[in-house]
Amino acid sequence: MTPPVLPRLSRGANHGALWFAAAAAIAATRTPRARRAATRGLASLGLASGTVSALGLKRRPVSPAFPSGHAASAAAFATGVALESPAWGAVVAPVAASVALAHGDRGPHVPSDVLAGAALGVGAAFAVRAVVPTRGQVAPPARPRAEVPALADGEGLVLVANTAAGSAERVRALRDALPRAEVVECEPGDVPAELEKAAARARVLGVCGGDGTVNSAARVALRARLPLAVLPGGTLNHFAYDLGIEDVRDLARAVRAGDAVRVDVGRYSCGGEHGVFLNTCSVGVYPELVRERERWSHRIGGWPAGVLAALRVLRADRHPLEAEVQGRTHPLWLLFAGNGTYHRMGLAPGRRKDLADGQLDVRVVHGGRRPAVRLLAAALAGPLTRSPAHAAVQVGRLRLDHVAPGTLLAYDGEVTEVEGRVILEKLPEALTVYRPIPAD
């Protein structure tokens, strides 16, 4: 006899309503992994549902319910979630199994209906993963390992948190996970000074914020020769995510175990000024876009400001930057240098597989007509190395000469002005950072 809850689950799963609700509940936990799991589950569900609908246009070979749409949707959503987050997958799996076994709208399922639908759903989830890989598929190598103190309860860790980065919830979680760690919460303008104070008394310097805040902490950690513990907490957290740290659990596990690696640091210098970058450094239209976006973001919000900035910066009457690159003069719309080689994974944005490869990943968009078209072509081409519009090369050092006064240079989301000679180079394995190291 069918348990009474199964028909109710089946009705709730009609048109994907149950799975949309489940995705909303998962995403509401507000962790990056949970949000990705919910998104991947819905993408897998959409592909599976579309495939079942396409099959429905033809004669069904076994029964009126072959393959089971409910089983396909349930398996697709649960598998998609589990591929990104096994923990959430374990929560969803019993519900998915119950829906798959329930009666469908067209009458009772026979075993072949359920099995075919489940197989189709699992296949859809893996097809989505082939197009957009999970974060676990591109985890950086756990090397070169570094000797750092293992802080079982966090004693010796002094973490500076940028309050403008929405870090309050993560700071509370860190205090629960590492109760003897010292946490200093401060406004953005006070972050550099508080980092210097923290470095004077810390065994491990910690930071919670976005890439700009982490960049400030890296400079201090390099000078003080301290290991750095990074807790992502801002809008952009590329360095932490490429490092394999997404939340408090990841960082706390590494700190308690004393797991750390050495990573490369990029450095720019211009006259007497110099700075470091953990992610990217660029000249051309992107730094101007960053400055224009910052000018408008507090008035109209981040995304609208980004669109407005792009429209203003890419207007037709602009002229490309003239600079001498490695001895040859070029008109440039953009020169981008990544701290480490960025790899395209399917349709997903580029990520770094190795944070200590000794390379600057240099991408150049040549000057010419229609800068927007050239920039879009370069973005879509990914690892393509040569074209009339753009080029890519990996080097350890890059020199730009005759840079016009007032030229903007962006590094990890911050902007400064440069002129004359600009040198970009690598500091190999210069920074020690905590990161969870998986078992071999």
Side-chain angles (χ1 to χ4, degrees):
M1 183 176 179
T2 303
V5 70
L6 293 186
R8 287 198 291 271
L9 279 175
S10 179
R11 289 191 295 272
N14 289 343
H15 308 295
L18 174 64
W19 307 123
F20 281 100
I26 294 171
T29 61
R30 299 177 63 184
T31 65
R33 186 179 288 110
R35 289 195 294 266
R36 290 198 311 273
T39 302
R40 186 173 295 278
L42 291 179
S44 303
L45 168 66
L47 179 58
S49 298
T51 304
V52 170
S53 298
L55 292 174
L57 299 176
K58 300 180 180 180
R59 182 179 177 183
R60 299 181 185 275
V62 178
S63 78
F66 182 92
S68 167
H70 281 67
S73 298
F77 183 81
T79 304
V81 169
L83 287 174
E84 192 70 62
S85 172
W88 277 112
V91 173
V92 171
V95 180
S98 299
V99 170
L101 294 173
H103 289 203
D105 292 336
R106 295 185 296 272
H109 290 313
V110 297
S112 58
D113 300 339
V114 176
L115 291 175
L120 188 153
V122 171
F126 277 91
V128 170
R129 190 179 73 163
V131 176
V132 183
T134 63
R135 191 167 292 274
Q137 289 178 274
V138 288
R143 62 103 189 131
R145 296 198 183 193
E147 294 293 329
V148 294
L151 310 178
D153 53 8
E155 185 174 9
L157 168 64
V158 182
L159 183 138
V160 177
N162 183 350
T163 55
S167 58
E169 184 177 335
R170 295 199 168 192
V171 165
R172 286 194 297 270
L174 180 74
R175 285 180 168 135
D176 291 338
L178 300 171
R180 302 194 69 174
E182 179 185 348
V183 179
V184 179
E185 299 182 78
C186 60
E187 296 294 324
D190 298 327
V191 166
E194 293 298 336
L195 285 168
E196 295 286 356
K197 295 176 186 176
R201 63 182 184 275
R203 295 180 67 195
V204 176
L205 180 64
V207 61
C208 179
D211 284 327
T213 304
V214 174
N215 181 289
S216 298
R219 293 200 302 268
V220 175
L222 286 168
R223 286 197 300 270
R225 298 186 178 182
L226 288 173
L228 183 65
V230 179
L231 179 61
T235 304
L236 299 177
N237 297 283
H238 296 303
F239 179 69
Y241 292 164
D242 283 347
L243 197 61
I245 296 176
E246 297 194 359
D247 52 32
V248 169
R249 290 175 297 176
D250 294 330
L251 179 61
R253 186 167 71 250
V255 170
R256 285 193 293 258
D259 288 338
V261 294
R262 296 189 302 277
V263 300
D264 293 348
V265 174
R267 180 170 65 184
Y268 75 86
S269 57
C270 177
E273 180 187 355
H274 64 273
V276 302
F277 56 97
L278 301 177
N279 298 302
T280 63
C281 183
S282 61
V283 295
V285 295
Y286 179 73
E288 297 179 28
L289 189 150
V290 170
R291 177 164 286 186
E292 192 72 21
R293 183 185 64 200
E294 290 177 347
R295 184 177 301 167
W296 291 95
S297 60
H298 68 283
R299 304 180 192 175
I300 61 176
W303 283 108
V307 173
L308 177 62
L311 293 175
R312 293 171 67 92
V313 168
L314 297 177
R315 62 185 182 270
D317 61 346
R318 293 186 53 78
H319 297 286
L321 167 71
E322 290 280 346
E324 186 177 303
V325 184
Q326 306 288 71
R328 297 183 60 184
T329 302
H330 297 271
L332 306 172
W333 286 118
L334 174 68
L335 187 146
F336 161 99
N339 177 32
T341 304
Y342 282 77
H343 298 268
R344 176 67 57 83
M345 303 294 293
L347 296 180
R351 287 196 58 209
R352 290 169 289 183
K353 297 180 181 178
D354 190 345
L355 294 174
D357 65 1
Q359 298 295 310
L360 290 172
D361 188 3
V362 180
R363 310 292 175 98
V364 175
V365 179
H366 303 304
R369 299 179 60 190
R370 300 179 179 176
V373 174
R374 287 173 174 261
L375 291 164
L376 179 61
L380 294 176
L384 187 65
T385 56
R386 294 289 174 191
S387 88
H390 55 88
V393 65
Q394 282 74 48
V395 297
R397 189 175 187 270
L398 184 71
R399 190 184 78 239
L400 309 179
D401 287 308
H402 308 306
V403 177
T407 297
L408 299 181
L409 179 144
Y411 60 100
D412 291 349
E414 305 297 317
V415 179
T416 187
E417 293 187 1
V418 293
E419 64 176 287
R421 172 170 292 183
V422 179
I423 295 176
L424 308 180
E425 58 190 337
K426 293 283 288 212
L427 303 177
E429 302 180 15
L431 181 66
T432 297
V433 287
Y434 282 85
R435 62 147 294 189
I437 296 178
D440 293 333

